[in-house]
Amino acid sequence: MYERDACAARWKQLLAPRTGDVRQELALEMSEYFQMPLPDVERQLHGAATRFSEEWRQKISDPQDEQAVVRFYNESTTEMFDLAQWHAEDEIHYRTLMCLDLAARRPGRAVLDYGSGIGSDALIFAESGFRVTLADISEPLLGFARWRCERRGFTVQTIDLKRTPIPRRSFDVALCLDVLEHIPRPLRALDAIGRAMRVGGLLFVHAPFGKDPDRPMHLVHRDVVTPRMRSVGFNWQEDLERVFPDWLWAPRVYEAFGVSALDRVGYAVCDAWLPGPVTDRIAQWYRRVRPRHRQSA
């Protein structure tokens, strides 16, 4: 059972070894990284969420313009301060501790942090001996996240998602936390993650779809992901989710399974296009004609 106070203590121990205070630790790291006086960092942290949203409103006239969105994330440094403040204050991030404990029970130690942000989740996994790959479209965030890890003595790989595809069948764990709602086509991102996973690997997803007036950069307002997870090669692991306490906003947990191109189409039909009795009969027929097909849970 995960108690709130115990999780807070563990989170501070892992992320704030010098100060015992995550916000103070992050401020010191940003002061060192930017070569900026600490009082100036504190001023940047204060109200960063509001400033970041205002920057978005000023610079993004069409949220469906993917090139403009990518350019925005690569030109703004305000997001870094916004994320630092969020990571310092919101207990939602304690979920990473449970993700780590679940992943540690499985074989394999290669983890993909998709949408790695400022690298806090990467640090948690690296501290426990996982081989971490950071993946993001934002060069400022990738640079800071890599610096934070290397500063603590951890070697990490980085993938600039604008330029480099994720290597296939390379990861045993993937984190995709508070990312997909920012992506105009989240299923395309999930498909890339699915192809990058080894069979039996765990994927942790949290995506608060829905319109948020305080977060205009949340582009996807309807959950198009959950009904399509099997078509990108993931089975829901409901039993594993029971480790997350009721007081915490928990991610969904999925396990990767081997899926062929034909299977992808079949799952898409079953789960999204024709759910119901007709699809059940089609699935029964499909299992008979392909007895060696790997079944989903």
Side-chain angles (χ1 to χ4, degrees):
M1 186 66 174
Y2 290 90
E3 299 292 341
R4 182 184 269 107
D5 290 346
C7 289
R10 186 179 172 194
W11 182 253
K12 290 176 185 178
Q13 180 184 18
L14 290 169
L15 286 188
R18 289 183 296 173
T19 65
D21 181 283
V22 176
R23 189 185 190 283
Q24 185 179 354
E25 193 93 9
L26 277 164
L28 288 171
E29 289 175 339
M30 298 183 93
S31 175
E32 184 177 347
Y33 182 74
F34 285 110
Q35 298 184 340
M36 180 186 296
L38 191 58
D40 292 344
V41 172
E42 292 288 352
R43 281 191 287 271
Q44 290 287 334
L45 288 170
H46 182 72
T50 300
R51 291 199 311 276
F52 186 55
S53 294
E54 286 304 316
E55 281 186 16
W56 174 276
R57 293 186 180 98
Q58 291 170 10
K59 296 183 179 181
I60 302 297
S61 57
D62 179 9
Q64 299 307 311
D65 184 343
E66 293 188 41
Q67 290 186 344
V69 169
V70 169
R71 187 164 56 249
F72 172 80
Y73 282 118
N74 280 271
E75 292 175 352
S76 175
T77 57
T78 307
E79 182 185 19
M80 199 178 302
F81 292 91
D82 173 27
L83 290 175
Q85 187 73 5
W86 181 46
H87 279 236
E89 294 182 345
D90 198 333
E91 65 185 16
I92 190 176
H93 301 292
Y94 300 164
R95 63 195 171 183
T96 305
L97 302 174
M98 297 103 201
C99 295
L100 170 66
D101 292 345
L102 286 172
R105 299 172 191 170
R106 300 288 191 100
R109 289 294 178 267
V111 58
L112 172 68
D113 190 357
Y114 189 96
S116 46
I118 61 172
S120 295
D121 296 331
L123 276 173
I124 296 294
F125 272 79
E127 288 274 6
S128 293
F130 282 79
R131 300 185 305 278
V132 176
T133 296
L134 306 165
D136 212 298
I137 63 164
S138 168
E139 292 175 45
L141 291 183
L142 276 175
F144 182 54
R146 181 177 61 245
W147 178 87
R148 289 183 76 199
C149 291
E150 292 177 348
R151 183 178 176 279
R152 304 246 190 126
F154 304 122
T155 300
V156 296
Q157 303 298 316
T158 59
I159 296 176
D160 185 336
L161 293 169
K162 301 186 302 297
R163 301 183 176 91
T164 307
I166 308 172
R168 296 195 174 196
R169 301 292 175 259
S170 300
F171 298 99
D172 309 294
V173 184
L175 305 170
C176 186
L177 303 174
D178 299 285
V179 175
L180 297 177
E181 68 275 16
H182 295 266
I183 300 175
R185 289 185 278 181
L187 282 170
R188 184 173 64 177
L190 271 176
D191 184 63
I193 295 172
R195 296 175 189 277
M197 299 293 291
R198 298 187 179 112
V199 172
L202 292 181
L203 167 66
F204 300 94
V205 176
H206 184 260
F209 295 116
K211 195 167 185 179
D212 184 345
D214 295 326
R215 288 290 184 179
M217 63 287 296
H218 288 194
L219 304 181
V220 184
H221 302 153
R222 181 173 62 89
D223 183 1
V224 297
V225 167
T226 303
R228 296 289 298 275
M229 292 301 294
R230 292 197 302 177
S231 67
V232 292
F234 292 105
N235 287 322
W236 182 31
Q237 299 297 302
E238 184 177 8
D239 288 346
L240 296 183
E241 293 179 7
R242 292 173 183 161
V243 304
F244 295 93
D246 293 339
W247 52 265
L248 186 67
W249 280 28
R252 301 297 294 268
V253 183
Y254 298 92
E255 183 178 85
F257 67 96
V259 59
S260 68
L262 182 58
D263 293 339
R264 289 175 184 271
V265 174
Y267 284 125
V269 170
C270 289
D271 297 337
W273 299 339
L274 292 173
V278 173
T279 297
D280 291 341
R281 288 195 291 273
I282 294 174
Q284 290 172 5
W285 169 82
Y286 182 64
R287 285 191 288 267
R288 286 197 301 271
V289 300
R290 292 195 67 194
R292 298 177 68 182
H293 167 65
R294 183 183 180 89
Q295 298 300 313
S296 65

